[in-house]
Amino acid sequence: MLDDPRTVRVTGDDVAAVFRRTEDADAETRPADYRDKPVPEAYVWCNLTSGDATRALWLLLLPFMVVNLAHWMRPAVTGRIRTVRLYGLLVRLAGLTLTVLLVGAAAEVALDLAAWQCAGTAACAGGHSWLGFLSPAESGWWSAPGRRLTVAALVPAALTGLLWYLSLRTWRAYESQQPMERVDGPEEGAGRSALGRPGFWYGRRLVARLRAAHTAAGLLTVAAGLAVPAARFDRRAGGPAVLGLAGWLLQAGLVTGAVVVVGVVCRRGRGERFLDRTLDVHLVRRLPLAALALLLLAAVYAGWARPGWASAGRLPGDAVFGGLAATQGLLVVALAVVAHLLYRTAPDPRAAMRGLGGPAVAMLACALGGVMSGGVAQRVSDWLDGTGTSLAGPPVLLTWQASVIPPLLLVVLAVCALLARRTWARARAERAAVTGDHPDEAADAGRTRRIATARAMAGLTDRVPLLVTVVATTTFLLGMGALAGALVTDRTPAEAAEGTYAVLQGAARTGQAVGSWLIGVGFILFVTWGRRAYKDASARRTIGILWDVGTFWPRAAHPFAPPCYAERAVPDLTWRMATWTRATGGRLVLSGHSQGSVLAAAAAWQLEPSARGRVALLTYGSPLERLYGRWFPAHFGPASLASLHREIDCWRNLYRLTDPIGGPVRLPGDCGPEVDREALKDPLSYGRTTEHPLPAPILGHGDYQADPAFAEERRRLLGRLRPDVPAPRPDEDGPGTVPGADGGAHGCAGRSSA
């Protein structure tokens, strides 16, 4: 970005820092040398999303990240505070079900498949020596069913502890980064984005509360997996009254704990209007400890000697997974109703899916969690049961959910075929436009076709709402159908289809087999990708680019989601801009590419009005309106972007028709042309010229600075700022001023630079 191999870090650390060229390091002390040129800086934040190898493990948290995105996708609306809070509450509850689903899947694998079924079956235990000490054939102390379950419970309990630790560690590194104090207080009014509120990038209190609640939910799920089977046996066997009473009391404690957890999740959302430094210390500490105490009591209760208790069949997992699926379906439906009510209050024709993007994404998060959970259970069951006859297998619902994957993929392929056909038709239509853009040059059919195809492929981004709509709707219908089939038949699809038409039987068997195979392949690919990313920095960088969008938003719905890098990056940029303008009295141009333009806008919103008016914004390849404005209208809608345009000194935006990510800002009225420059030419030259003797590449989303328009627009912005720059201050009053600073931030490989 600085176009110089000699750079020096002027502020920051190894995670994120501001760099200058070596010759510009002391520019403030030599104001006369910079009276006619800017001081360029680069803010490097790539390590926040694709730093060390542990970032690859964030792939396992993908469902949590997706449901967290749903929180921020609500439609834009003024007023209706209770409805907005209800929307956030429903998303937080959906996130809680995903935590229970993940821990429940781990408990299904460890407690049911390994300890209950395999260790309790001589044929299976004989094939896995590491389960030998749990086998009843050994007649050891640990071979009793309850004690086997207690040993196996260490796995899901350890998983919950790991999630708690990762959340705590990232909470200290990200949510605890305090933004800059502001003397003006929160700015409210029509069109103002919530991103300008003082406490927007300081979610320390909420994440700590949610972390305590979700940790407790995970531990209570494991405790239920221990206590419920033992209590069921005590009720049926007519054993000692003391054990029966202990079972009832323990289950009552678990229900009480669950009610408290739900109450904590429901009670408080985000506080953004001021810096909320309060921390609910007693709740954060005591709630997980209380859940851990109940887990220890459940372990003691399950491990008590019970003569005659033997493991047979499955643990009661069908009811748990069925209840979770039904709850998630109801939450998604309720979320869709609330989102529709909000959208009707202030319809925005550019909003994706007419304001239903949040419910659709929440549905996809639940489906992704179900597929990952079912995939692990299916693969472990197949691995343990080598003969395919000794184990009852995972809950029937998981098999039904696997069986609906093939028809879902057929629907997705049909939509992709439709989009491909439309893209091909658009590419043919674009050829005339490409030829018209170069009327004085000799036509080249191959060159024209490549440029037109690049434009048509870039337009696929605007078709994503159609794909999400179809996938989310189909997933919901198939998921509810699978739930109904599992509850009604209590058998796998292949078993339920026996005795019916031959075609139906064949379809059921094929769907079940192919679905199980696809889950296995998908899970292997998922693990392989994560392993490759762990070892390969370039693969880690690719994941980091994907994470740029997913982890931009604070953790408002799920504390175990990957951390929000913007809670570090936005305060960094705000502090740098505010302290520089305050110390020098100068003005600056903040330039941002791709995701960096989103960070630039968010940082500009966080400045005080006096500092905001000293900033000009230059964005290029920016998804501010094309992605964020459509999918997150409450924070990047037309009114919010128009408000930003009014409050900063000036704003120019560059884009290309071949760019699949960036696009125009599309401000309403006369502001639109004022901000958006006409689409840049891409390639820079159609044929061979004296300036481009070789064929110029189609740049698409990259290398905007190679276009002369970039330097031209930057000169215009600096020229607009320069007349208002005060004269250098005397040395005794502090450092001299710099006429202009071209500030920025860039991500890995220059793909997300600002």
Side-chain angles (χ1 to χ4, degrees):
M1 284 200 64
L2 297 177
D3 196 25
D4 194 322
R6 300 165 301 159
T7 60
V8 60
R9 184 170 67 191
V10 294
T11 183
D13 55 22
D14 293 335
V15 178
V18 173
F19 290 83
R20 282 185 179 180
R21 297 182 300 186
T22 302
E23 63 186 51
D24 298 329
D26 59 346
E28 283 81 0
T29 64
R30 298 181 286 114
D33 295 342
Y34 295 90
R35 189 170 299 278
D36 297 322
K37 62 179 181 179
V39 181
E41 289 186 353
Y43 175 63
V44 182
W45 52 277
C46 60
N47 284 335
L48 291 173
T49 55
S50 57
D52 58 66
T54 58
R55 296 294 196 274
L57 299 177
W58 288 359
L59 282 172
L60 300 175
L61 309 179
L62 190 58
F64 303 156
M65 182 190 77
V66 175
V67 79
N68 191 68
L69 283 178
H71 173 89
W72 301 103
M73 289 182 171
R74 69 169 177 83
V77 65
T78 49
R80 308 205 66 166
I81 297 178
R82 292 184 178 179
T83 311
V84 170
R85 289 176 178 172
L86 177 59
Y87 181 96
L89 169 61
L90 292 172
V91 180
R92 292 199 301 275
L93 290 176
L96 182 63
T97 64
L98 286 175
T99 296
V100 176
L101 178 62
L102 174 66
V103 179
E108 165 62 26
V109 169
L111 275 70
D112 186 13
L113 295 176
W116 184 264
Q117 296 188 38
C118 188
T121 305
C124 184
H128 303 281
S129 58
W130 53 277
L131 289 174
F133 75 104
L134 298 177
S135 175
E138 300 293 331
S139 301
W141 192 84
W142 291 106
S143 62
R147 293 165 189 167
R148 279 189 271 135
L149 294 178
T150 300
V151 173
L154 293 175
V155 174
L159 174 63
T160 305
L162 176 63
L163 293 174
W164 170 84
Y165 170 74
L166 291 176
S167 180
L168 176 65
R169 179 183 175 186
T170 55
W171 174 79
R172 289 172 174 169
Y174 292 83
E175 276 85 7
S176 297
Q177 294 285 334
Q178 185 169 312
M180 194 172 190
E181 292 278 3
R182 284 170 47 181
V183 298
D184 61 314
E187 299 177 61
E188 301 296 338
R192 294 189 181 275
S193 174
L195 274 73
R197 294 173 180 169
F200 187 89
W201 300 107
Y202 193 62
R204 185 168 179 261
R205 183 178 187 182
L206 175 63
V207 175
R209 288 175 60 88
L210 290 179
R211 182 179 68 244
H214 282 245
T215 303
L219 295 175
L220 291 175
T221 301
V222 182
L226 290 174
V228 172
R232 284 205 314 172
F233 177 79
D234 290 339
R235 290 196 299 270
R236 290 185 302 181
V242 175
L243 284 180
L245 178 60
W248 282 112
L249 291 176
L250 184 56
Q251 291 180 90
L254 294 177
V255 172
T256 303
V259 171
V260 172
V261 166
V262 173
V264 170
V265 172
C266 294
R267 180 183 172 189
R268 182 185 295 275
R270 282 177 57 82
E272 302 168 349
R273 298 182 184 278
F274 59 92
L275 287 179
D276 189 357
R277 298 185 178 87
T278 306
L279 194 64
D280 306 305
V281 178
H282 296 299
L283 173 68
V284 170
R285 293 178 179 175
R286 293 177 182 176
L287 185 56
L289 289 177
L292 180 61
L294 285 173
L295 174 58
L296 295 176
L297 290 175
V300 173
Y301 171 69
W304 207 265
R306 290 177 175 83
W309 190 17
S311 57
R314 303 186 184 95
L315 286 177
D318 283 304
V320 174
F321 288 103
L324 282 174
T327 301
Q328 289 176 344
L330 291 174
L331 288 174
V332 169
V333 171
L335 191 64
V337 172
V338 173
H340 179 66
L341 292 176
L342 291 174
Y343 180 80
R344 287 181 56 187
T345 303
D348 178 6
R350 286 287 295 171
M353 300 175 60
R354 296 182 178 270
L356 296 179
V361 168
M363 181 68 250
L364 295 180
C366 295
L368 187 59
V371 168
M372 292 175 63
S373 302
V376 171
Q378 291 280 359
R379 292 307 97 209
V380 172
S381 177
D382 292 343
W383 170 58
L384 292 174
D385 192 9
T387 63
T389 58
S390 59
L391 300 185
V396 171
L397 176 61
L398 298 182
T399 305
W400 275 88
Q401 289 176 337
S403 301
V404 302
I405 293 179
L408 175 62
L409 288 181
L410 291 177
V411 173
V412 172
L413 289 176
V415 176
C416 290
L418 175 63
L419 293 179
R421 183 177 179 277
R422 291 183 177 179
T423 302
W424 177 78
R426 181 175 179 181
R428 289 181 61 88
E430 285 286 349
R431 294 177 191 177
V434 173
T435 303
D437 291 341
H438 307 279
D440 300 329
E441 301 190 49
D444 183 340
R447 181 73 160 170
T448 299
R449 183 172 58 253
R450 286 190 292 272
I451 298 173
T453 301
R455 292 184 180 182
M457 294 294 291
L460 282 175
T461 302
D462 301 318
R463 306 283 186 179
V464 171
L466 172 62
L467 180 63
V468 173
T469 300
V470 173
V471 172
T473 304
T474 306
T475 300
F476 177 79
L477 295 176
L478 291 177
M480 292 300 101
L483 176 60
L487 294 179
V488 171
T489 65
D490 196 27
R491 294 188 296 174
T492 63
E495 294 172 347
E498 291 179 358
T500 61
Y501 296 103
V503 175
L504 188 59
Q505 294 183 50
R509 293 195 189 97
T510 302
Q512 183 174 321
V514 174
S516 178
W517 181 81
L518 287 174
I519 283 183
V521 171
F523 184 72
I524 291 173
L525 291 176
F526 193 79
V527 173
T528 303
W529 193 19
R531 181 179 176 83
R532 180 170 176 264
Y534 183 85
K535 294 183 176 181
D536 187 354
S538 62
R540 225 170 29 246
R541 188 175 299 119
T542 301
I543 294 175
I545 294 172
L546 297 176
W547 243 241
D548 283 353
V549 177
T551 58
F552 170 77
W553 296 100
R555 294 186 280 196
H558 208 297
F560 298 156
C564 165
Y565 66 87
E567 289 196 290
R568 164 69 191 270
V570 172
D572 279 0
L573 286 169
T574 306
W575 274 89
R576 180 58 178 166
M577 290 190 293
T579 54
W580 187 87
T581 54
R582 187 180 302 159
T584 66
R587 300 183 173 227
L588 58 87
V589 173
L590 183 63
S591 65
H593 170 250
S594 190
Q595 186 67 15
S597 68
V598 184
L599 285 177
W605 263 312
Q606 282 289 306
L607 292 171
E608 295 181 356
S610 57
R612 199 180 303 148
R614 309 180 73 84
V615 173
L617 191 60
L618 176 59
T619 55
Y620 45 104
S622 172
L624 272 170
E625 194 281 335
R626 192 176 190 182
L627 297 180
Y628 282 82
R630 297 191 66 190
W631 289 97
F632 307 98
H635 299 86
F636 287 96
S640 299
L641 295 178
S643 165
L644 177 64
H645 174 247
R646 290 192 302 269
E647 294 163 7
I648 61 176
D649 186 272
C650 189
W651 183 4
R652 292 293 284 170
N653 179 64
L654 310 178
Y655 68 97
R656 301 187 181 109
L657 297 179
T658 55
D659 190 341
I661 297 176
V665 177
R666 301 178 190 272
L667 291 187
D670 296 335
C671 298
E674 182 180 340
V675 172
D676 290 321
R677 182 180 174 122
E678 184 180 356
L680 304 183
K681 287 185 177 181
D682 189 27
L684 292 174
S685 174
Y686 179 81
R688 298 174 184 265
T689 64
T690 54
E691 295 181 357
H692 299 277
L694 298 179
I698 300 175
L699 299 176
H701 185 58
D703 210 5
Y704 271 84
Q705 295 184 5
D707 195 303
F710 178 86
E712 177 187 339
E713 292 295 342
R714 188 173 66 172
R715 283 195 301 269
R716 288 181 58 189
L717 292 176
L718 290 170
R720 176 187 174 95
L721 293 174
R722 187 172 291 113
D724 296 326
V725 177
R729 296 174 180 174
D731 291 341
E732 62 269 22
D733 291 337
T737 60
V738 180
D742 179 19
H746 90 89
C748 296
R751 294 257 198 292
S752 296
S753 58

